[in-house]
Amino acid sequence: MQRTTLLQEDWWKLRAEATWGNASAGEDLVALRAENDQLRRALAGRAVVDQASGMMMVLTPCSRGTARGLLVDISRQCHTTLPEVAAAMVDVWEGKPMTRPMQRALRHVLRRLYAEDRGCDSPPSDEPSR
């Protein structure tokens, strides 16, 4: 049987829920810290993704959703996470070189975007332009 009680903490005007039963307080604390760390990483990654999306919107006049979709496509082609691709885009803006596979993926998604804008039915070729 599990019993839940709501405790009022006057000093901070916060409410904390204490649970007795299956899980100990130590396990709850560990789980809360892990969740807190995960949320911090997600927020940090989101800020970089938003910044890179804004850069894509400026460089290729497109909507926010299209810009994010381009970044997702690059991450899939490079087999890497979206925050890593976004960080690489921001690093390029700051003068650091982009990896060759990421350059290739960026060229590919931009060609496809421009082909869609022109109304071409054929997919872009993977060969670099000369």
Coordinates of all heavy atoms in Angstrom, one line a residue, residues 29-67:
L29 N 15.4 10.7 -4.4 CA 16.4 11.8 -4.6 C 17.3 11.5 -5.8 O 17.5 12.4 -6.6 CB 17.2 12.0 -3.4 CG 18.3 13.1 -3.4 CD1 17.6 14.5 -3.6 CD2 19.1 13.1 -2.1
V30 N 17.8 10.3 -6.0 CA 18.6 10.0 -7.1 C 17.9 10.1 -8.4 O 18.4 10.7 -9.4 CB 19.2 8.5 -7.0 CG1 19.8 8.0 -8.2 CG2 20.2 8.5 -5.8
A31 N 16.6 9.7 -8.4 CA 15.8 9.8 -9.6 C 15.5 11.3 -10.0 O 15.6 11.6 -11.2 CB 14.5 9.0 -9.4
L32 N 15.2 12.1 -9.0 CA 15.0 13.5 -9.2 C 16.3 14.2 -9.7 O 16.2 15.0 -10.6 CB 14.5 14.2 -8.0 CG 13.1 13.9 -7.6 CD1 12.7 14.4 -6.2 CD2 12.1 14.4 -8.6
R33 N 17.4 13.9 -9.2 CA 18.7 14.5 -9.7 C 18.9 14.0 -11.1 O 19.4 14.9 -11.9 CB 19.8 14.1 -8.8 CG 19.8 14.8 -7.5 CD 21.0 14.5 -6.6 NE 21.0 15.3 -5.4 CZ 21.7 15.0 -4.3 NH1 22.5 13.9 -4.3 NH2 21.6 15.8 -3.3
A34 N 18.7 12.8 -11.4 CA 18.9 12.3 -12.8 C 18.0 13.0 -13.8 O 18.4 13.5 -14.9 CB 18.7 10.8 -12.9
E35 N 16.7 13.2 -13.4 CA 15.8 13.9 -14.2 C 16.2 15.4 -14.4 O 16.1 15.9 -15.5 CB 14.4 13.8 -13.6 CG 13.3 14.5 -14.4 CD 11.9 14.4 -13.8 OE1 11.8 13.9 -12.7 OE2 11.0 14.9 -14.5
N36 N 16.6 16.0 -13.3 CA 17.1 17.4 -13.3 C 18.3 17.6 -14.3 O 18.3 18.5 -15.1 CB 17.5 17.8 -11.9 CG 17.6 19.3 -11.8 OD1 17.2 20.1 -12.7 ND2 18.1 19.8 -10.7
D37 N 19.2 16.6 -14.2 CA 20.4 16.7 -15.2 C 19.9 16.5 -16.6 O 20.4 17.2 -17.5 CB 21.4 15.6 -14.8 CG 22.1 15.9 -13.5 OD1 22.1 17.1 -13.1 OD2 22.7 15.0 -12.9
Q38 N 19.0 15.6 -16.8 CA 18.5 15.4 -18.2 C 17.8 16.6 -18.7 O 18.0 17.0 -19.9 CB 17.6 14.2 -18.2 CG 17.0 13.9 -19.6 CD 16.0 12.8 -19.5 OE1 15.6 12.3 -18.5 NE2 15.5 12.4 -20.7
L39 N 17.0 17.3 -17.9 CA 16.3 18.5 -18.3 C 17.3 19.6 -18.6 O 17.1 20.4 -19.6 CB 15.3 18.9 -17.3 CG 14.1 18.0 -17.2 CD1 13.2 18.4 -15.9 CD2 13.3 18.0 -18.4
R40 N 18.4 19.7 -17.8 CA 19.4 20.8 -18.1 C 20.1 20.6 -19.4 O 20.3 21.5 -20.2 CB 20.4 20.8 -16.9 CG 20.0 21.5 -15.7 CD 21.2 21.7 -14.8 NE 20.7 22.4 -13.6 CZ 20.9 22.0 -12.4 NH1 21.6 20.9 -12.2 NH2 20.5 22.7 -11.4
R41 N 20.4 19.3 -19.7 CA 21.1 19.0 -21.0 C 20.1 19.3 -22.1 O 20.5 19.8 -23.2 CB 21.5 17.5 -21.0 CG 22.8 17.3 -20.2 CD 23.4 15.9 -20.5 NE 22.4 14.8 -20.3 CZ 22.2 14.2 -19.1 NH1 22.9 14.6 -18.0 NH2 21.4 13.2 -19.0
A42 N 18.9 18.9 -22.0 CA 17.9 19.2 -23.0 C 17.7 20.7 -23.3 O 17.6 21.1 -24.4 CB 16.5 18.5 -22.7
L43 N 17.7 21.5 -22.2 CA 17.5 22.9 -22.4 C 18.8 23.5 -23.1 O 18.7 24.4 -23.9 CB 17.3 23.6 -21.1 CG 15.8 23.5 -20.6 CD1 15.7 24.1 -19.2 CD2 14.8 24.1 -21.5
A44 N 19.9 23.0 -22.7 CA 21.2 23.6 -23.3 C 21.2 23.2 -24.8 O 21.6 24.0 -25.6 CB 22.4 23.0 -22.5
G45 N 20.9 22.0 -25.1 CA 20.8 21.5 -26.5 C 19.8 22.3 -27.3 O 20.0 22.6 -28.5
R46 N 18.7 22.6 -26.7 CA 17.6 23.3 -27.4 C 18.1 24.7 -27.8 O 17.7 25.2 -28.8 CB 16.4 23.3 -26.6 CG 15.3 24.2 -27.2 CD 14.0 23.8 -26.8 NE 13.0 24.6 -27.6 CZ 11.8 24.4 -27.7 NH1 11.3 23.4 -27.1 NH2 11.0 25.2 -28.4
A47 N 18.8 25.4 -26.9 CA 19.3 26.7 -27.2 C 20.2 26.7 -28.4 O 20.1 27.6 -29.3 CB 20.0 27.3 -26.0
V48 N 21.0 25.8 -28.5 CA 22.0 25.7 -29.6 C 21.2 25.3 -30.9 O 21.4 25.9 -32.0 CB 23.1 24.6 -29.4 CG1 23.9 24.4 -30.6 CG2 23.9 25.0 -28.2
V49 N 20.2 24.5 -30.8 CA 19.4 24.1 -32.0 C 18.6 25.3 -32.4 O 18.5 25.6 -33.6 CB 18.4 22.9 -31.6 CG1 17.4 22.7 -32.7 CG2 19.2 21.6 -31.4
D50 N 18.0 26.1 -31.5 CA 17.3 27.3 -31.9 C 18.2 28.3 -32.6 O 17.9 29.0 -33.5 CB 16.7 28.0 -30.7 CG 15.4 27.2 -30.2 OD1 14.9 26.3 -31.0 OD2 15.0 27.4 -29.0
Q51 N 19.5 28.4 -32.1 CA 20.4 29.4 -32.7 C 20.8 28.9 -34.1 O 20.8 29.7 -35.0 CB 21.7 29.5 -31.8 CG 22.7 30.5 -32.3 CD 23.9 30.6 -31.4 OE1 24.0 29.9 -30.4 NE2 24.7 31.5 -31.7
A52 N 21.0 27.6 -34.3 CA 21.4 27.1 -35.6 C 20.2 27.2 -36.5 O 20.4 27.5 -37.7 CB 21.9 25.6 -35.5
S53 N 19.0 27.0 -36.0 CA 17.8 27.1 -36.9 C 17.7 28.6 -37.4 O 17.3 28.8 -38.5 CB 16.5 26.8 -36.1 OG 16.5 25.4 -35.8
G54 N 17.9 29.5 -36.5 CA 17.9 30.9 -36.9 C 18.9 31.2 -37.9 O 18.7 32.0 -38.9
M55 N 20.1 30.6 -37.8 CA 21.1 30.8 -38.8 C 20.7 30.3 -40.2 O 20.9 30.9 -41.2 CB 22.4 30.2 -38.4 CG 23.1 30.8 -37.2 SD 24.4 29.9 -36.5 CE 25.5 29.7 -37.8
M56 N 20.1 29.1 -40.2 CA 19.6 28.5 -41.4 C 18.5 29.4 -42.0 O 18.4 29.5 -43.2 CB 19.1 27.1 -41.2 CG 20.1 26.1 -40.8 SD 21.3 25.8 -42.1 CE 20.4 24.7 -43.2
M57 N 17.6 30.0 -41.2 CA 16.6 30.8 -41.7 C 17.1 32.0 -42.4 O 16.5 32.5 -43.3 CB 15.6 31.2 -40.5 CG 14.8 30.0 -40.0 SD 14.0 30.4 -38.4 CE 12.9 31.8 -38.9
V58 N 18.2 32.6 -41.8 CA 18.8 33.8 -42.5 C 19.5 33.4 -43.8 O 19.4 34.1 -44.8 CB 19.8 34.4 -41.5 CG1 20.7 35.4 -42.1 CG2 19.0 35.0 -40.3
L59 N 20.3 32.3 -43.7 CA 21.1 31.9 -44.9 C 20.2 31.4 -46.0 O 20.5 31.6 -47.2 CB 22.1 30.8 -44.5 CG 23.2 31.3 -43.5 CD1 24.0 30.1 -43.1 CD2 24.0 32.4 -44.1
T60 N 19.1 30.7 -45.7 CA 18.2 30.1 -46.8 C 16.9 30.6 -46.4 O 16.2 30.0 -45.6 CB 18.2 28.6 -46.8 OG1 17.7 28.2 -45.5 CG2 19.6 28.0 -47.0
P61 N 16.4 31.7 -46.9 CA 15.1 32.3 -46.5 C 14.0 31.2 -46.5 O 13.5 30.8 -47.5 CB 14.8 33.4 -47.5 CG 16.2 33.7 -48.1 CD 17.0 32.5 -48.0
C62 N 13.8 30.7 -45.3 CA 12.8 29.7 -45.1 C 12.1 29.8 -43.7 O 12.6 30.6 -42.9 CB 13.4 28.3 -45.3 SG 14.7 27.9 -44.0
S63 N 11.1 29.0 -43.5 CA 10.4 29.1 -42.2 C 11.2 28.3 -41.1 O 12.2 27.6 -41.4 CB 9.1 28.4 -42.3 OG 9.2 27.0 -42.5
R64 N 10.8 28.5 -39.9 CA 11.5 27.9 -38.8 C 11.4 26.4 -38.9 O 12.4 25.7 -38.6 CB 10.8 28.4 -37.5 CG 11.4 27.8 -36.2 CD 10.7 28.3 -35.0 NE 11.4 27.8 -33.8 CZ 11.2 28.3 -32.6 NH1 10.5 29.4 -32.5 NH2 11.8 27.8 -31.6
G65 N 10.2 25.9 -39.3 CA 10.1 24.4 -39.4 C 11.0 23.8 -40.5 O 11.5 22.8 -40.3
T66 N 11.1 24.5 -41.6 CA 11.9 24.1 -42.7 C 13.4 24.1 -42.2 O 14.1 23.1 -42.5 CB 11.7 24.9 -43.9 OG1 10.4 24.9 -44.3 CG2 12.6 24.5 -45.1
A67 N 13.8 25.1 -41.5 CA 15.2 25.2 -41.1 C 15.5 24.1 -40.1 O 16.6 23.4 -40.2 CB 15.4 26.5 -40.4

